[in-house]
């Protein structure tokens, strides 16, 4: 029997009368790329926040490789091998692209902020950063301030920073939001190639159904905090009732 990398069981959280997560139960297996879709307010970001320690559920369990993570702080969940990128990239805009990755690596090494600057450009760390930037097609931009990157580049850099920490599971909140239509597929091609090469399992929230169809191996549909459907993208997204629930259109 295959061992799940992630087990979510009966996960429940309300904000007042709103069910942001209602008895969510799902198993994710190594190598899967799970697209998470649903209308605005369905609970997609809440789901990622519950898995990564940013929110604590009222009820339920989240296990990573069998280990319970509910109650851990986000940095402790990261240390176990669960990476996270954000809808709005969390970058240091005045630092260079390379320095952003170096900072992510330095924080993982738990150096204090005061002792951090001198060794930031340590050769071994720069080598790791440059390997990741090469994988993400950003090495040519390494010396530019991150603030000068176009939106697609910023999104990729945010994922690259999470990726540099060598997660086994990577959760991405709308990796293509704000990215132009022509740039979207290039961003996803780069991302998915990096994930495949490193054997990283992923979950990504996405509003663009074409992106989900092309890049997800499985799709999870959330609606009012509940799982409405879970299956192969072609089948799930071709169901007219589900399309209506997700997009509001037939
Ligand atoms: P979107 O596609 O718009 O980003 P989403 O599917 O990610 O939406 P969530 O952000 O998870 O949805 O929100 C689920 C529900 O919980 C929404 O009704 C939202 O308003 C509510 N909610 C989320 N966070 C909080 C909070 N901190 N306090 C109160 N309500 C919240």
């Amino acid at each position: 029997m295959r061992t799940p990398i992630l087990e979510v069981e009966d996960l429940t959280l309300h904000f007042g009368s709103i069910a942001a997560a209602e008895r969510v139960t799902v198993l994710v297996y190594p190598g899967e790329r799970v697209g998470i879709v649903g209308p605005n307010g369905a609970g997609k970001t809440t789901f990622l926040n519950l898995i990564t320690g940013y929110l604590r559920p009222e009820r339920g369990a989240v296990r990573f490789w069998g280990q319970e993570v509910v109650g851990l702080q986000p940095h402790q969940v990261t240390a176990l091998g669960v990476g996270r990128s954000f809808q709005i990239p969390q970058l240091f805009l005045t630092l260079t692209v390379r320095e952003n990755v170096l900072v992510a690596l330095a924080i993982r090494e738990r150096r204090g902020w005061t002792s951090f600057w001198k060794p930031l450009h340590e050769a071994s760390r720069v080598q790791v950063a440059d390997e990741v930037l090469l994988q993400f097609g950003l090495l040519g931009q390494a010396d530019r301030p991150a603030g000068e990157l176009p939106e697609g580049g910023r999104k990729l850099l945010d994922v690259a920073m999470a990726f540099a920490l060598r997660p086994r599971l990577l959760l991405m909140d709308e990796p293509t939001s704000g990215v132009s239509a022509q740039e979207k597929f290039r961003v996803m091609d780069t991302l998915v190639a990096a994930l495949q090469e490193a054997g990283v399992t992923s979950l990504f929230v996405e509003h663009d159904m074409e992106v989900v169809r092309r890049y997800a191996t499985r799709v999870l549909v959330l609606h009012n905090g509940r799982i409405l459907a879970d299956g192969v993208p072609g089948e799930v997204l071709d169901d007219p009732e589900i399309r209506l629930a997700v997009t509001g259109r037939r």
Side-chain angles (χ1 to χ4, degrees), residues 43-216:
K44 303 180 295 294
T45 299
T46 299
F47 182 60
L48 300 192
N49 285 340
L50 285 166
I51 294 172
T52 47
Y54 287 87
L55 285 172
R56 209 177 169 139
E58 288 152 28
R59 198 174 65 222
V62 177
R63 288 184 284 272
F64 174 66
W65 286 134
Q67 178 175 346
E68 180 62 69
V69 300
V70 169
L72 298 185
Q73 294 296 315
H75 72 273
Q76 295 173 308
V77 180
T78 307
L80 288 176
V82 182
R84 166 86 194 262
S85 73
F86 295 84
Q87 189 175 355
I88 298 167
Q90 312 282 298
L91 306 179
F92 301 96
L93 297 177
T94 55
L95 298 187
T96 66
V97 167
R98 179 185 288 113
E99 284 166 343
N100 270 271
V101 181
L102 292 174
V103 168
L105 290 167
I107 290 173
R108 184 190 50 183
E109 291 161 22
R110 295 192 186 151
R111 290 181 191 276
W113 283 89
T114 46
S115 60
F116 189 83
W117 280 104
K118 195 149 186 265
L120 186 65
H121 291 83
E122 256 174 13
S124 61
R125 206 190 271 153
V126 170
Q127 192 183 341
V128 173
D130 283 2
E131 279 166 17
V132 172
L133 290 174
L134 179 66
Q135 269 185 305
F136 281 77
L138 290 169
L139 192 55
Q141 325 276 336
D143 295 316
R144 283 176 75 185
E148 288 182 6
L149 289 180
E151 191 59 23
R154 291 188 196 196
K155 301 289 280 194
L156 278 173
L157 178 56
D158 192 42
V159 179
M161 287 166 71
F163 193 84
L165 307 185
R166 306 223 175 285
R168 302 319 306 153
L169 176 68
L170 184 58
L171 310 184
M172 295 173 279
D173 200 348
E174 301 198 38
T176 72
S177 75
V179 177
S180 67
Q182 347 39 318
E183 230 192 329
K184 245 178 202 183
F185 294 124
R186 187 186 64 81
V187 166
M188 285 305 290
D189 283 341
T190 307
L191 246 167
V192 166
L195 294 173
Q196 278 180 328
E197 196 181 326
V200 175
T201 309
S202 60
L203 277 78
F204 63 99
V205 171
E206 183 56 62
H207 278 282
D208 186 325
M209 296 305 127
E210 259 332 289
V211 170
V212 176
R213 225 177 252 282
R214 239 197 237 206
Y215 298 98

